[in-house]
Amino acid sequence: MDRARETPRVGPVLAALARGALGDGYVPEVPERMLDGIAQLSSASDRKQLLASLRAMNTRSGALLLTGKPVPVSWLSQTQAEALLNKWRSSRIGLQRQLATGVLSLALSSLYGRPGPEWNRIGYQGPMGDAPKEPKRLSPLSIDHDEVLHCDVVIVGSGAGGGCVAGVLAGQGLDVVVLEKGGYRSESDFNHLEADASRDMYLYGMTLMNTDGNVRIIAGATLGGGTVVNYTTSFKTPDFVLDEWTRITGIEAFSSGEFEESLDEVSARLNVNLDSSAAGRRDELLETGLKKLGWHVDLLPRAVKGCTQDEQCGYCGFGCRPGAKQSTMRTYLEDAQAGGARIVTGADVRSVRIADGKATGVDAIVGPHRVTVTAKVVVVAAGSIETPALLLRSGWAAASDITSTCIPGPRLSASSTTTSGCGRARSRPVTRASSGTGTAATGRSSKLSPSIPEPGQPSSRGKARRLTGSGWSGTRTIRSARFSRGTRPTDGSRSPKTEVLGSRTS
Ligand SMILES: Cc1cc2nc3c(=O)[nH]c(=O)nc-3n(C[C@H](O)[C@H](O)[C@H](O)COP(=O)(O)OP(=O)(O)OC[C@H]3O[C@@H](n4cnc5c(N)ncnc54)[C@H](O)[C@@H]3O)c2cc1C
């Protein structure tokens, strides 16, 4: 997005609309911040469409089309702009409803995400002091020219799935490269400002929504993925779900005890416990009510070490300053680094290299540089939104097929986050290790990860290494919504235009 060109053209329109949305709370910095949010939109075509609509509504003809009156929107008073937003919100025209939702969420996060008079008015104290001066524990590679790296296993994504697989495989002597699209933020970077945390640690700066804007999709995008921003609740996958996975996939490992063993191993590594689950006032009220109803109520198991549950804990989703949260950044990625793994952050993997039906590596962009990684095995653990997108971009026709038999990956909790799970391993050496986003790389069953090579040995089908999936949740709704548009080709060729409902990633 050409900021210098867009600011004078759409700034005055954003200012008028933001005044309508925020009323007296409006501050002059909001339009610029809204442009920051627009710059982070996941899809280039959405960005283009929104900017074009904003430019158009500052002309008489465009305003007539979008507002019903030939009055450029930048001329509107606060009351008129508020009336326009309300009209758009209840409009039968999808574009107008989307405009209302988009403008409102951009304006609100631009105002409340940073310190200002509104914080005082609502009694929000903001971050509690500065971030701690904690030394960094991981040392990602710095890429300052185009590179070609070679390894046994390249892992796309460093979250619950990718981080865990990296730690286990590097720990067993395999040469592992981890490519993470997000940056590396650790305790000393956690300034607990919502605007910075959303921009720096969430996928597309938390701007991802479903097509009509009534569901926001949030996921982590930083070294450690969702495990750095999540709330650490760690339930084990219930038996009825494991049975269903076995029924759907035919993979016995899910209900033979093998998967559970892996969950035990992950729980041990993440120090999952009940010692940091003291109930707050809200929980006490909930507990009383549930008990009165005779419903089951119990403590939440959490993946934490030394969590004091004090006032800092209200900022859990912006990064854990005391380092109590046992994210993959604090656990498996440290194991991976100790095992010699190379970690590259800011590495946006654009495609998986496929030759003769086999994945042979990946191509990524790191700032202005191109990085190619060749590997015996490619693990795609880029989260529930980006994994299918990457596979589709890579011409992996099977991607659409995998998703139709989607099952959530290993699940330790039932959080409400909209991440979802996928899949089963294919007979080709692409194993998607994840929680939510790909095949559960779990247990010892050979079906799951057909061809992880022994250290130094070429891969041998069926001798799977013991992988543990450190998964977090999955919800099913996403699965069915994903492919309700666009016909799924029966000839194995790639779908002409499969729109991932709810989000479009370019
Ligand atoms: C606010 C919040 C709270 C949550 N709370 C809980 C909870 O309490 N308990 C629980 O069980 N679950 C919780 N979750 C869900 C949980 O964090 C996710 O289910 C889990 O992290 C998914 O793991 P994953 O490996 O599939 O993907 P992620 O952890 O999302 O990791 C995927 C990584 O891949 C990277 N990536 C994406 N595309 C590319 C690319 N092209 N190239 C390179 N890298 C790429 C992303 O940047 C990201 O870092 C929460 C999630 C959020 C957002």
Side-chain angles (χ1 to χ4, degrees):
M1 186 173 92
D2 181 340
R3 245 344 238 276
R5 216 160 62 98
E6 290 301 346
T7 301
R9 299 202 292 179
V10 304
V13 176
L14 287 174
L17 291 171
R19 276 197 209 93
L22 304 172
D24 301 341
Y26 174 84
V27 289
E29 296 81 4
V30 164
E32 269 304 311
R33 293 176 190 166
M34 290 173 79
L35 274 170
D36 293 341
I38 294 173
Q40 287 202 291
L41 285 180
S42 59
S43 142
S45 60
D46 283 358
R47 213 171 19 250
K48 232 164 131 203
Q49 186 187 357
L50 178 56
L51 289 170
S53 309
L54 290 169
R55 284 196 298 272
M57 61 179 89
N58 216 20
T59 64
R60 286 185 183 282
S61 53
L64 182 61
L65 205 63
L66 287 162
T67 72
K69 296 198 178 99
V71 181
V73 167
S74 61
W75 298 5
L76 297 183
S77 69
Q78 179 185 311
T79 319
Q80 290 168 324
E82 186 181 345
L84 174 64
L85 288 168
N86 277 325
K87 190 174 122 192
W88 279 349
R89 286 177 78 190
S90 52
S91 164
R92 276 182 296 123
I93 303 168
L95 174 64
Q96 290 186 340
R97 287 199 309 275
Q98 277 179 354
L99 276 172
T101 311
V103 166
L104 282 170
S105 73
L106 281 170
L108 288 168
S109 56
S110 299
L111 179 68
Y112 290 99
R114 294 207 175 283
E118 271 303 285
W119 281 10
N120 305 334
R121 194 178 67 76
I122 62 172
Y124 177 57
Q125 70 200 0
M128 305 188 65
D130 296 333
K133 298 200 173 8
E134 274 294 314
K136 295 243 175 220
R137 300 156 71 104
L138 296 171
S139 332
L141 286 189
S142 71
I143 303 284
D144 53 14
H145 60 281
D146 291 3
E147 287 223 42
V148 179
L149 304 174
H150 306 286
C151 62
D152 292 326
V153 183
V154 61
I155 301 174
V156 182
S158 62
C164 174
V165 173
V168 171
L169 296 185
Q172 297 188 2
L174 289 170
D175 180 7
V176 171
V177 169
V178 179
L179 300 176
E180 168 53 53
K181 180 177 177 175
Y184 174 30
R185 300 232 157 40
S186 66
E187 292 73 22
S188 57
D189 306 304
F190 298 153
N191 66 10
H192 284 178
L193 280 175
E194 183 170 352
D196 291 355
S198 316
R199 181 196 58 211
D200 299 339
M201 298 199 288
Y202 285 83
L203 197 62
Y204 304 114
M206 274 206 202
T207 60
L208 211 53
M209 289 186 187
N210 68 340
T211 315
D212 53 19
N214 54 20
V215 178
R216 184 184 294 273
I217 299 168
I218 59 170
T222 185
L223 190 58
T227 68
V228 174
V229 295
N230 77 17
Y231 305 138
T232 73
T233 312
S234 304
F235 285 130
K236 285 214 167 143
T237 318
D239 291 347
F240 74 89
V241 174
L242 294 178
D243 295 343
E244 183 191 3
W245 290 352
T246 300
R247 227 183 13 260
I248 292 174
T249 65
I251 297 176
E252 291 307 323
F254 286 125
S255 40
S256 68
E258 210 172 311
F259 183 82
E260 223 153 325
E261 256 181 59
S262 299
L263 286 181
D264 292 341
E265 205 175 298
V266 172
S267 304
R269 180 69 188 93
L270 302 182
N271 196 50
V272 173
N273 65 77
L274 295 170
D275 309 334
S276 305
S277 304
R281 185 68 193 121
R282 178 201 62 191
D283 310 316
E284 282 166 0
L285 293 172
L286 192 63
E287 186 170 2
T288 314
L290 289 167
K291 283 192 172 150
K292 279 212 179 106
L293 290 168
W295 288 16
H296 167 75
V297 54
D298 204 340
L299 292 178
L300 280 182
R302 301 182 55 219
V304 289
K305 204 182 267 178
C307 170
T308 50
Q309 288 194 274
D310 59 20
E311 54 287 353
Q312 286 280 4
C313 289
Y315 305 85
C316 199
F318 303 159
C320 177
R321 281 182 175 176
K325 186 185 294 189
Q326 297 301 289
S327 66
T328 53
M329 181 182 76
R330 293 285 303 213
T331 55
Y332 283 104
L333 289 170
E334 290 188 8
D335 300 346
Q337 181 169 280
R342 288 165 285 172
I343 298 173
V344 184
T345 54
D348 184 3
V349 176
R350 302 310 297 161
S351 62
V352 176
R353 289 184 163 215
I354 300 167
D356 307 327
K358 273 175 67 80
T360 57
V362 296
D363 290 300
I365 296 173
V366 183
H369 306 300
R370 291 181 173 284
V371 172
T372 296
V373 182
T374 66
K376 297 183 187 98
V377 170
V378 175
V379 176
V380 180
S384 57
I385 302 292
E386 296 297 322
T387 291
L390 171 56
L391 296 175
L392 287 168
R393 269 197 313 270
S394 311
W396 189 269
S400 57
D401 202 26
I402 289 175
T403 312
S404 67
T405 58
C406 242
I407 51 170
R411 169 163 81 171
L412 284 181
S413 86
S415 78
S416 59
T417 319
T418 37
T419 53
S420 70
C422 281
R424 61 175 180 268
R426 301 234 137 247
S427 58
R428 303 185 188 128
V430 172
T431 48
R432 285 168 291 283
S434 86
S435 69
T437 40
T439 312
T442 59
R444 282 185 295 288
S445 142
S446 60
K447 272 196 200 156
L448 284 177
S449 43
S451 58
I452 301 286
E454 300 283 341
Q457 297 293 324
S459 72
S460 54
R461 178 157 185 67
K463 270 220 187 126
R465 277 249 160 231
R466 189 171 152 75
L467 288 179
T468 53
S470 69
W472 279 276
S473 66
T475 48
R476 297 210 179 106
T477 43
I478 299 269
R479 179 178 52 190
S480 50
R482 245 188 232 149
F483 285 93
S484 61
R485 281 213 203 130
T487 52
R488 205 174 308 150
T490 50
D491 61 357
S493 65
R494 229 170 60 185
S495 147
K497 188 169 182 324
T498 305
E499 182 182 325
V500 179
L501 257 190
S503 71
R504 266 179 268 155
T505 56
S506 52

